[in-house]
Amino acid sequence: MASGVPSVKKKMEDPASEEGAISLPNPHLEKIKEDFLYHFALGTATHDFPALFGDVKFVCVGGSPSRMKNFISFIAEDLGIGSPSCDHPNICAGTDRYAMYKAGPVLSVSHGMGIPSIAIMLHELIKLLHYAKCSNVIMVRIGTSGGIGLEPGSVVITKQAVDATFKPQFEQMILGKPVIRSTVLDKGLAEELMECGKELNQFNTVTGNTMCTLDFYEGQARLDGAICSYSEEEKLEYLKSAYEAGVRNVEMESSVFAAMCSLSGLRGAVVCVTLLDRLEGDQIITPHEVLKEYQTRPQKLVGHLIKKHHGKQ
């Protein structure tokens, strides 16, 4: 099995319960002697998870593999445990589904686009952290979004992940029945991140609700998809009602991220930069170099948080 970490044939033991430990609310896992995390190409029978990941305290996830590789290089240099020339191998090189990089206590993982993709990744990532006996882990999604009533380049720290009706919930069909889960994020962590934004004082940082949708086009009230069933007036009315409900940005992963962090006992936060103001248009026409700089802003904010926590350890 190809991967960026050495294979060690070692049977996993049940992690001892401790404060801040990762919870797995699935009794069926107790019957599995060897768990193969298929989409990571990592398994408990072939890899020593505590040795490889037991020191992880911070997990940052984002859509693009290249962005997450850039982040691990950035944070390694920021923490003084690597340089820009250091090569950080893809731990999940045995698959092309997701990419994973590690530098000291920081794990950086790509999740693709949309709720289904990030949900699959999170199931396996949460199991990995549990099998590694990690504790007191902070999990942050860093990414891009469409802003509502904000100047492009603003960074939004999510207060609540809400659905398309502005309710703080994630609804999933399980066994043919709707199951609704809370999307509560760690309030203290959001406040810490806002304080980091003030300390950096490099870009506009705000808190607000984040609307999570199932689609990039009609689901986000865009007018430029292949299909559109509403008028421009109806679009603007909807987005303005979202703003009045406290929504400041729109993306496609935050609700399931919040729900799964909450169920697993992880302190979770969502930090996304806005690439445009949706009240002003639908297409991203900002120059590429400006967009590249925008995308570094969540990394800088979360990096500042990690550096502060790391210095206390």
Side-chain angles (χ1 to χ4, degrees):
M1 181 187 302
S3 80
V5 293
S7 294
V8 181
K9 295 205 171 190
K10 180 178 179 179
K11 187 176 179 180
M12 300 294 301
E13 298 176 358
D14 291 333
S17 60
E18 58 177 293
E19 186 178 354
I22 311 302
S23 172
L24 291 184
N26 179 2
H28 303 289
L29 291 175
E30 296 176 3
K31 303 174 185 177
I32 300 176
K33 293 181 180 180
E34 300 175 357
D35 194 353
F36 180 55
L37 309 184
Y38 173 74
H39 300 90
F40 286 164
L42 300 171
T44 58
T46 53
H47 296 82
D48 186 339
F49 282 32
L52 296 168
F53 304 106
D55 62 338
V56 169
K57 294 295 181 183
F58 312 96
V59 181
C60 293
V61 302
S64 162
S66 61
R67 192 184 306 154
M68 300 322 292
K69 185 170 185 178
N70 289 338
F71 175 74
I72 207 67
S73 297
F74 163 77
I75 197 64
E77 183 180 12
D78 213 32
L79 296 179
I81 55 178
S83 66
S85 60
C86 284
D87 181 41
H88 298 279
N90 178 11
I91 296 171
C92 298
T95 175
D96 62 359
R97 185 61 60 189
Y98 303 107
M100 179 187 296
Y101 305 95
K102 185 177 184 297
V106 184
L107 202 62
S108 178
V109 191
S110 70
H111 59 59
M113 183 180 289
I115 286 174
S117 184
I118 191 174
I120 293 167
M121 187 280 292
L122 286 172
H123 274 283
E124 299 190 11
L125 177 60
I126 292 167
K127 289 198 295 179
L128 180 153
L129 295 172
H130 177 79
Y131 294 145
K133 304 181 183 180
C134 296
S135 62
N136 300 310
V137 174
I138 289 175
M139 179 104 77
V140 185
R141 165 170 143 67
I142 55 176
T144 59
S145 64
I148 299 182
L150 293 174
E151 61 184 71
S154 299
V155 173
V156 180
I157 301 163
T158 303
K159 290 167 61 177
Q160 292 186 114
V162 301
D163 63 15
T165 65
F166 319 139
K167 294 177 182 176
Q169 64 184 34
F170 170 61
E171 181 176 336
Q172 182 175 5
M173 296 298 292
I174 301 176
L175 301 182
K177 300 176 182 178
V179 174
I180 295 176
R181 290 170 172 163
S182 169
T183 55
V184 172
L185 288 159
D186 191 285
K187 183 179 179 182
L189 187 55
E191 290 173 349
E192 283 188 67
L193 284 160
M194 192 64 198
E195 185 61 30
C196 288
K198 293 176 182 177
E199 291 168 0
L200 286 174
N201 195 29
Q202 296 178 10
F203 38 78
N204 184 38
T205 304
V206 303
T207 59
N209 294 342
T210 296
M211 182 166 68
C212 183
T213 68
L214 301 178
D215 167 56
F216 184 80
Y217 286 99
E218 287 187 292
Q220 295 188 9
R222 277 184 160 84
L223 302 174
D224 59 343
I227 300 167
C228 185
S229 57
Y230 43 82
S231 68
E232 183 174 3
E233 291 74 20
E234 288 173 318
K235 164 207 162 171
L236 288 173
E237 181 181 356
Y238 175 70
L239 292 180
K240 287 176 181 177
S241 65
Y243 185 88
E244 291 170 1
V247 174
R248 294 297 176 267
N249 64 334
V250 188
E251 46 86 272
M252 298 172 61
E253 294 86 18
S254 59
S255 62
V256 70
F257 173 88
M260 293 184 72
C261 283
S262 178
L263 287 169
S264 305
L266 286 159
R267 296 186 69 196
V270 177
V271 179
C272 291
V273 67
T274 62
L275 301 184
L276 76 167
D277 181 356
R278 290 295 319 290
L279 295 175
E280 301 296 329
D282 296 333
Q283 297 209 334
I284 301 169
I285 57 175
T286 305
H288 178 68
E289 290 305 313
V290 176
L291 290 177
K292 282 180 64 177
E293 192 280 321
Y294 283 174
Q295 291 178 22
T296 67
R297 294 182 178 186
Q299 298 184 16
K300 291 176 181 176
L301 183 61
V302 175
H304 189 67
L305 175 83
I306 292 174
K307 194 171 184 179
K308 287 176 68 174
H309 276 259
H310 186 64
K312 297 175 183 177
Q313 295 177 3

